[in-house]
Amino acid sequence: YFKNNIPNGWSIYYHHTNGTFQGQYSNDQPNGFGIYIHVSDSTYEGYWWNERQDGIGIEKWIDDSNYKGEFSHGKKNGIGFYFWPDDSHYEGEWVNNYLHGYGIYFFKDNKYYLGHWVKSKKSGFGEFIWKYKRYIGFYSNDKKNGFGIYFWNKVKKAFMGFWENGKQKGFGKFISLDRK
């Protein structure tokens, strides 16, 4: 549909090097709901504002990874769910395409991290759980930093103390969790 010689309304746009957009146009720009299929077969289905992903949408890639959630200004911003082909996934907050804010990351080997993220790195307070181990404490730049407690569930012991760059450093104490 055209108005004043520019696309307005539902339209299909084919570009030989970028891909295909089918959806709502306003003043020659994707605005509203639309589906974009890149020449690499990655897709975005969702809402647009001034040619950028904006609102709720689903992005899918050829390797079977996908993102479902909020977009703003063409980037993942808000609450979203990202699924990788190896079955790991993240549920939580995003800022400018980064895991940023509060979220939970499930790894492919059944461990998970629940806590704060800064630019896709564990940062702030969080809890990391493995099959027989657990750490509750502070992170910085993806490593244990600050006060934290590390539990070894199988042997019923824990270390409570300070960490730096992922290693125990400074004041701390090993304790037995065995009640016998």
Side-chain angles (χ1 to χ4, degrees):
Y1 298 99
F2 284 83
K3 182 178 178 184
N4 298 327
N5 240 5
I6 57 173
N8 273 290
W10 193 262
S11 299
I12 299 174
Y13 176 79
Y14 299 98
H15 192 278
H16 66 285
T17 58
N18 290 336
T20 303
F21 177 82
Q22 178 178 341
Q24 296 171 314
Y25 273 79
S26 174
N27 296 321
D28 200 25
Q29 295 182 340
N31 281 306
F33 184 80
I35 300 169
Y36 175 73
I37 302 170
H38 193 270
V39 291
S40 69
D41 286 333
S42 62
T43 63
Y44 172 77
E45 182 175 340
Y47 289 88
W48 298 78
W49 180 253
N50 293 334
E51 291 188 276
R52 292 185 177 168
Q53 300 152 314
D54 203 284
I56 302 295
I58 300 171
E59 228 174 3
K60 295 180 182 179
W61 292 270
I62 195 161
D63 68 356
D64 286 331
S65 57
N66 66 78
Y67 171 81
K68 298 172 184 172
E70 296 177 290
F71 290 84
S72 178
H73 296 66
K75 295 182 178 181
K76 295 170 196 70
N77 278 298
I79 302 297
F81 305 86
Y82 195 106
F83 300 88
W84 284 268
D86 67 1
D87 288 333
S88 58
H89 67 280
Y90 172 79
E91 304 171 7
E93 295 177 287
W94 293 78
V95 173
N96 292 327
N97 287 336
Y98 289 106
L99 288 64
H100 195 94
Y102 188 76
I104 184 167
Y105 188 106
F106 296 92
F107 293 83
K108 65 180 178 180
D109 53 0
N110 294 324
K111 57 187 176 183
Y112 64 92
Y113 170 77
L114 170 68
H116 286 91
W117 298 83
V118 173
K119 290 193 171 183
S120 296
K121 293 184 178 185
K122 294 181 284 295
S123 217
F125 189 78
E127 181 175 10
F128 201 119
I129 297 177
W130 299 262
K131 186 174 184 177
Y132 297 112
K133 298 180 249 178
R134 180 173 56 164
Y135 172 78
I136 301 171
F138 290 90
Y139 283 86
S140 175
N141 203 27
D142 234 16
K143 295 183 179 178
K144 296 175 206 77
N145 264 311
F147 183 80
I149 305 170
Y150 193 100
F151 299 90
W152 291 270
N153 297 338
K154 207 168 188 180
V155 295
K156 297 182 180 173
K157 296 198 186 269
F159 171 79
M160 181 173 49
F162 290 89
W163 300 76
E164 186 177 296
N165 266 344
K167 299 184 190 295
Q168 300 163 353
K169 185 169 183 179
F171 177 77
K173 181 178 181 179
F174 282 95
I175 53 176
S176 174
L177 303 174
D178 196 359
R179 297 279 181 197
K180 292 181 186 177

